[in-house]
Amino acid sequence: MNFGGLISAAPVFDAIAWFDPIRIGSTSLLASASTADNAPFIFAGILASLVVIYLASTIGGEVCARLNLPPVLGQLIGGLVVGISALHLLVFPEGGGDSSNSLLMSFLEATAGLSVDGVTTTFQIDSEVISVLSEIGVVILLFEIGLESNLQELLRVGTQATIVAIVGVVTPFLFGTLGLITLFHISTVPAIFAGAALTATSIGITAKVLAELNYLNRSEGQIIIGAAVLDDVLGIIVLAVVASLAKTGEVELTNIIYLILSSVVFLVGAILIGRWLNPYFVQLVDALRTRGQLLIPALIFAFVLSYIATVIKLEAILGAFTAGLVLAETQKCRELKSQVVPIADILVPIFFVVVSAKTDIGVLNPAVPANREGLIMASFLIVVAILGKVVTGFTVFGQEKVNRLAIGVGMIPRGEVGLVFAGIGSATGVLPPALDAAIIVMVIVTTFIAPPLLQVVFQRSPEQNLPQPEAIASSPESR
Amino acid sequence: MNFGGLISAAPVFDAIAWFDPIRIGSTSLLASASTADNAPFIFAGILASLVVIYLASTIGGEVCARLNLPPVLGQLIGGLVVGISALHLLVFPEGGGDSSNSLLMSFLEATAGLSVDGVTTTFQIDSEVISVLSEIGVVILLFEIGLESNLQELLRVGTQATIVAIVGVVTPFLFGTLGLITLFHISTVPAIFAGAALTATSIGITAKVLAELNYLNRSEGQIIIGAAVLDDVLGIIVLAVVASLAKTGEVELTNIIYLILSSVVFLVGAILIGRWLNPYFVQLVDALRTRGQLLIPALIFAFVLSYIATVIKLEAILGAFTAGLVLAETQKCRELKSQVVPIADILVPIFFVVVSAKTDIGVLNPAVPANREGLIMASFLIVVAILGKVVTGFTVFGQEKVNRLAIGVGMIPRGEVGLVFAGIGSATGVLPPALDAAIIVMVIVTTFIAPPLLQVVFQRSPEQNLPQPEAIASSPESR
């Protein structure tokens, strides 16, 4: 519906009736004129973005479910389709988009009468809001994964997970760095940078696939989750080392020690304090009488831990995962899980669609000559990235019936963490453009290859009785 | 925990390790340097804001529940305590706050190491995000209210609701305007403006109280909801009339006709098309296999209607309410309601806390001489605002056992709609400061007085068997 004609014929009404009841406080309306004027457009843009995200994630997920592929792969592909790589419906300033190439903003201009003046502000604010919603989405995802995890089991497989994590960081880092130096004659610092980009597993994608395959609570699942969490911590430490190396040429030891110490103190401290707090949590929840009496205290706990994790330079998702892990031990866990399901249902798809909407797969096009050097290096990085993680499964000892291949494959997706390395590398000028593109290609391929691969290796597992993916996707257990 | 010392000792690490995996796309990291640098602070600020909001809403709600008052009153008071009126934890640019008087930003500076340079950007973006979350909150609230409502019952009481709405708009408008002119010697245009501010009922607050008292599905509840919805439409029309009157001195008839027509077409069209779509909706939901197969299509429907409502200059909440009303008629309603509950639990409190956090009750202080003239006028406006709505209940005919007083009292809260009038009035310079303040005081008083008053008049209702508030607040029926 295009009411543009009607609307622009009435400028007075336009300026005044476009109000927003929430955004206007008790003092001057025009105190923040630029945003107040655009308030209804900003919210209309959010509504339209959410509709695009949900359509992309649902259609993508459903298609993959019918092809016996993990739905999360479909959500990622849905994100590619609506994002910077194809339809330009959902683009972000950080992903190379701007208001002029955002199809959604054009749609708002056409349908909602958004003015050319307002489009920049609206685009920027909407991008920020959707980015924050996607961050809340991954926080809720890891909170839910934490709730589904089993601390006892995680501690039982702790040694194996630690070895998997360390081997999975050291192997690709060493082979990647040395290979780039010897085979591609890259100089040391950029080679180390690219090697570092090969280290960290994307916990979000792996955990989601494991949940979809109903493997989260088995030994393999818990080893992978444990290793992925440690990987995340190790990745942050590696990033700190490499970044200071790139900038000053030497490693700032105090930072590294600080990071390691704060990680250990945080993870151990949160679990110990959390377990001690658990009975009080149950008492508190039982005493509350208003709506959300279980959910709100649980979210306060998760957000406080996420905040602390962010503040000590770890990641918010580590805090959320730990909160879930601790609350999984209370008697309220079952009820809490069932309440978190709908929240995750509406927030988690935002994360996966946004991550891939921001990823430009244009670097994969071999018809562009500039891409070719990068693609050759990318092939090498992909092989190292996959083999470097697959070997980790075979370091697992003392677990006879475990699917070793599945553990290794579970560590493959690099996801957003690898993109951070590429981003910092290109920002500091350390990485030559071809290598920068190669890292991005490696991240895309490992991220998209892992979900179907994981499904294949779990299906081959002889001693496991794997339910049909369709049944899982909509069954209550997988929630 | 203050890691400020440790962090500032390591500037290199600061700049680089403060990354955010989601926010960084495949192109240049520093493309949007100002936001990318602040990304972890922005998210930390959101986490901290949400914790503050949930603490305020839970503590406020629980205290009120124990005093036998509606919990939503406690959430509003909680918002006052953390907002611009008291603690300054949650302040907004539109509410007269800025980054320098935001206690939350100071907290981020102290704990998260947010720099003085980054504080303005972080404050602005966080304010926008929390505002949008609160708007999503009221959209979800009205969607849930729609799901709880009964279209048949609403149509059955339609005539009564229409009369209640019209009387409730005309009475306070006439008496308010004439009273200001004769008693306070206010000139015509500002008097009309203030009279208009007396018209529109805040559907959110009333609906929430009705749900809390378990009265949403009774005749009184449905008359109030129906009248409040029509009130919202009438309020938008009155605003358009008054605004063009204030600006050009005459009424733009084409706009008014356009608004009336589009409102009618939207409400009737959405309900008719929705009812026709309902069987297909059920078929679609049954065919979907991935998570969120009921919730996501329902939200897409709600967001699309909200978008259309915004685009035709109505309000998003009207679209969400209509979507809920239509989906309430499908066989999936029960399941959908139970899934919407946790989402409403975490989003709706944001709305109530934010609305009152933005309200400065400083205008209520009689010790400030400048407030006195406003307070005297406010007393007059409050009397008109209350009596002008209370009379509406007695226009209800053909309903013998109905609680007429409750219907009138249910229409009392002006909430955010009244603030819009005050905001526009002060922005266009039409309203003298004292009258502007008087409108704000009227809004505050009617909003805060309505929930306890509504509870009292429903408890007096002899033929109703009212459950105890505590039982309602946490009982599944009230959800």
Side-chain angles (χ1 to χ4, degrees), chain B residues 140-227:
Chain B
I140 295 292
L141 172 64
L142 268 288
F143 181 59
E144 195 185 18
I145 299 291
L147 282 175
E148 304 264 356
S149 292
N150 183 332
L151 185 57
Q152 304 302 333
E153 175 67 14
L154 209 57
L155 292 176
R156 197 179 69 77
V157 300
T159 322
Q160 285 94 337
T162 310
I163 294 171
V164 166
I166 292 174
V167 172
V169 164
V170 172
T171 320
F173 178 73
L174 272 187
F175 284 89
T177 307
L178 294 177
L180 286 173
I181 295 175
T182 55
L183 301 175
F184 296 92
H185 312 294
I186 302 283
S187 49
T188 315
V189 170
I192 288 179
F193 214 100
L198 291 167
T199 57
T201 298
S202 164
I203 179 169
I205 289 163
T206 289
K208 184 79 177 137
V209 177
L210 288 173
E212 284 173 356
L213 294 176
N214 235 356
Y215 263 87
L216 206 50
N217 259 319
R218 308 193 184 218
S219 296
E220 293 92 339
Q222 289 298 293
I223 292 176
I224 295 173
I225 291 297

Side-chain angles (χ1 to χ4, degrees), chain A residues 18 23 111 135 307 313, chain B residues 18 23 111 135 307 313:
Chain A
W18 257 133
R23 209 164 274 276
T111 61
E135 290 176 71
Y307 181 84
K313 316 269 181 198
Chain B
W18 257 133
R23 208 164 275 275
T111 62
E135 289 177 72
Y307 181 83
K313 317 269 181 198

Side-chain angles (χ1 to χ4, degrees), chain B residues 407-422:
Chain B
I407 291 176
V409 170
M411 305 293 291
I412 288 177
R414 297 309 192 278
E416 64 288 353
V417 189
L419 293 181
V420 173
F421 281 84

Side-chain angles (χ1 to χ4, degrees), chain A residues 1 3 6-7 10 12-14 16 18-30 32 35 40 42-44 46-48 50-51 54-55 58 61-62 65-66 71 94-96 107-108 111-112 125 128-129 131-136 138-139 144 239-240 243 247-248 252 255 258-259 287-293 295-296 299-300 303-304 306-308 310-313 315-316 339 341-346 351 358 360 416 420 423-424 426-427 440 470 473-474 478-479, chain B residues 1 3 6-7 10 12-14 16 18-23 25-30 32 35 40 43-44 46-48 50-51 54-55 58 61-62 65-66 71 94-96 107-108 111-112 125 128-129 131-136 138-139 144 236 239-240 243-244 247-248 252 255 258-259 287-293 295-296 299-300 303-304 306-308 310-313 315-316 339 341-346 351 358 360 416 420 423-424 426-427 440 470 473-474 478-479:
Chain A
M1 280 182 242
F3 293 95
L6 256 162
I7 289 160
V12 173
F13 172 63
D14 258 356
I16 303 188
W18 257 133
F19 64 83
D20 169 358
I22 297 152
R23 209 164 274 276
I24 296 165
S26 54
T27 49
S28 162
L29 173 74
L30 299 181
S32 57
T35 56
I42 289 169
F43 195 56
I46 296 296
L47 291 172
L50 290 176
V51 169
Y54 290 149
L55 286 176
T58 305
E62 290 292 327
R66 278 162 178 71
E94 318 87 73
F107 180 74
L108 279 177
T111 61
I125 295 175
E128 288 291 342
V129 173
S131 291
V132 169
L133 285 177
S134 92
E135 290 176 71
I136 298 177
V138 70
V139 161
E144 195 185 19
L239 184 66
K247 190 133 184 187
T248 63
E252 291 194 50
N255 279 324
Y258 163 73
L259 259 182
L288 294 182
R289 301 173 182 185
T290 52
R291 273 186 62 162
Q293 69 264 61
L295 205 46
I296 296 287
L299 280 189
I300 290 177
F303 289 166
V304 166
S306 301
Y307 181 84
I308 295 172
T310 310
V311 161
I312 62 173
K313 316 269 181 198
E315 284 189 78
Q339 293 185 17
V341 166
I343 295 168
D345 283 349
I346 65 165
F351 171 69
K358 286 181 180 176
D360 189 353
E416 65 288 352
V420 173
I424 292 177
S426 94
I440 294 167
E470 294 96 318
S474 57
S478 75
R479 297 188 158 182
Chain B
M1 279 183 242
F3 293 96
L6 257 162
I7 289 160
V12 173
F13 172 64
D14 257 358
I16 303 188
W18 257 133
F19 64 83
D20 169 358
I22 296 151
R23 208 164 275 275
S26 54
T27 50
S28 161
L29 173 73
L30 298 181
S32 57
T35 57
F43 194 57
I46 296 297
L47 291 171
L50 289 175
V51 169
Y54 290 149
L55 287 176
T58 306
E62 290 292 327
R66 278 163 178 71
E94 318 89 73
F107 181 73
L108 279 177
T111 62
I125 295 175
E128 288 291 343
V129 173
S131 291
V132 169
L133 285 177
S134 92
E135 289 177 72
I136 298 177
V138 70
V139 161
E144 195 185 18
I236 290 165
L239 183 65
S244 79
K247 190 131 183 189
T248 64
E252 291 194 50
N255 279 323
Y258 163 73
L259 259 182
L288 293 182
R289 301 172 180 184
T290 52
R291 271 186 62 161
Q293 69 265 61
L295 204 47
I296 296 286
L299 280 189
I300 290 177
F303 289 167
V304 167
S306 301
Y307 181 83
I308 295 173
T310 310
V311 160
I312 61 173
K313 317 269 181 198
E315 283 190 79
Q339 294 186 17
V341 166
I343 296 167
D345 284 349
I346 65 166
F351 171 69
K358 286 182 179 176
D360 189 353
E416 64 288 353
V420 173
I424 292 177
S426 94
I440 293 166
E470 294 97 319
S474 57
S478 75
R479 296 189 156 181

Side-chain angles (χ1 to χ4, degrees), chain B residues 437-475:
Chain B
I439 293 176
I440 293 166
V441 172
M442 178 275 293
V443 169
I444 294 172
V445 173
T446 56
T447 303
F448 281 80
I449 211 177
L453 222 53
L454 204 50
Q455 182 160 321
V456 168
V457 295
F458 269 125
Q459 268 163 344
R460 279 207 191 141
S461 182
E463 73 274 22
Q464 308 277 9
N465 184 14
L466 188 75
Q468 284 306 299
E470 294 97 319
I472 301 163
S474 57
S475 72

Side-chain angles (χ1 to χ4, degrees), chain B residues 229-282:
Chain B
V229 168
L230 293 175
D231 234 32
D232 222 27
V233 176
L234 290 176
I236 290 165
I237 294 168
V238 169
L239 183 65
V241 174
V242 171
S244 79
L245 198 65
K247 190 131 183 189
T248 64
E250 46 190 78
V251 176
E252 291 194 50
L253 210 63
T254 47
N255 279 323
I256 312 306
I257 293 170
Y258 163 73
L259 259 182
I260 294 173
L261 274 182
S262 60
S263 310
V264 172
V265 170
F266 175 77
L267 288 175
V268 175
I271 289 174
L272 289 182
I273 295 175
R275 294 182 99 168
W276 172 76
L277 274 176
N278 263 344
Y280 302 102
F281 175 82
V282 174

